[in-house]
Amino acid sequence: MVQKIKKPPSTAKVRAAKPPLFKSDGPLEAKRRGRPRAYEPEVALGKALDVFRKGGFAATSLDDLSAATGMNRPSLYGAFGDKRELYIKAYQRYRADARAATSDIFRDELPIRQRLERIYAVALDIYLSGGPRGCFTVMTAASEAVADPEIRAMALEGFVEFDKAFAACFRRATEKGELPATADPVVLAHLASATVHTIAIRARVGVPRGELEAIVKGAIDVMLRG
């Protein structure tokens, strides 16, 4: 009796018998779909903000931004757009952070001197954080505003917002009798904002915090004379 020789299974059947590489909640899949992000957008934007604050727009290269964020150029473009768009997003982030840091001080009911001292202390914390970098608006956005209408509008909006917040503080102080009835809240607000700008510039060039605090104290003394 001749014994039949069994044929080995075909290559196609062997391949079909292998389990898929990955599973999903639905049908089995041969490979993953998509690719998880290897970065956190808000963290990357914060790092880009630090680079722009230090070097400004023109002096900051895409290589600088890639090195700071850990993202290559295609990833940067995909997440934030071109360098200008990333700069604007970084400026918006800076404005939002500064607003969050000072909003409670502007809103709370405090004696005017204490309110001003706290606002300027927060400003100095921002201007001196990570080194003497000053204010994003004063030190870099103001330069870009000359040629870029969108950045110019953002910078002007920031100045007006600060002026109005200071004016409201001085108006309340006048109503409470902390300032003479003849005090002009708008003029005082401009002086208060101008003090913010001067300490930002001086912080940028390395003036020590103690000297900046002395400038703030003298300015507050002048403003509170009405």
Side-chain angles (χ1 to χ4, degrees), residues 23-199:
K23 294 183 179 180
S24 68
D25 293 334
L28 298 178
E29 298 176 341
K31 59 182 179 179
R32 292 186 188 275
R33 290 182 179 179
R35 185 178 177 184
R37 286 185 174 180
Y39 67 94
E40 297 179 30
E42 287 304 308
V43 173
L45 184 58
K47 293 182 181 299
L49 168 58
D50 288 339
V51 176
F52 280 129
R53 282 188 67 195
K54 182 179 180 180
F57 178 78
T60 297
S61 68
L62 285 172
D63 288 340
D64 295 330
L65 294 166
S66 293
T69 61
M71 299 167 64
N72 58 30
R73 290 191 182 195
S75 296
L76 282 172
Y77 282 123
F80 302 110
D82 60 20
K83 190 175 86 165
R84 177 183 174 276
E85 289 178 279
L86 178 52
Y87 178 87
I88 289 175
K89 287 182 173 69
Y91 185 26
Q92 291 170 335
R93 165 72 176 272
Y94 175 85
R95 292 267 309 279
D97 288 348
R99 188 181 297 112
T102 57
S103 60
D104 286 345
I105 307 173
F106 277 117
R107 184 172 55 248
D108 293 346
E109 287 299 325
L110 296 168
I112 186 62
R113 181 177 290 276
Q114 183 180 348
R115 189 193 302 276
L116 293 173
E117 288 172 348
R118 288 182 59 185
I119 290 169
Y120 288 120
V122 169
L124 287 176
D125 287 344
I126 294 172
Y127 300 159
L128 298 172
S129 64
R133 292 179 294 179
C135 172
F136 196 115
T137 300
V138 176
M139 304 313 306
T140 172
S143 298
E144 299 308 316
V146 175
D148 193 309
E150 185 175 358
I151 295 174
R152 179 164 62 251
M154 290 174 63
L156 284 171
E157 181 185 42
F159 289 143
V160 171
E161 183 179 326
F162 227 15
D163 288 344
K164 286 182 176 179
F166 273 126
C169 293
F170 289 118
R171 194 170 293 112
R172 287 198 298 273
T174 302
E175 292 168 354
K176 291 162 60 178
E178 295 181 277
L179 290 171
T182 55
D184 188 329
V186 174
V187 172
L188 292 174
H190 290 160
L191 291 175
S193 292
T195 302
V196 169
H197 306 154
T198 194
I199 62 174

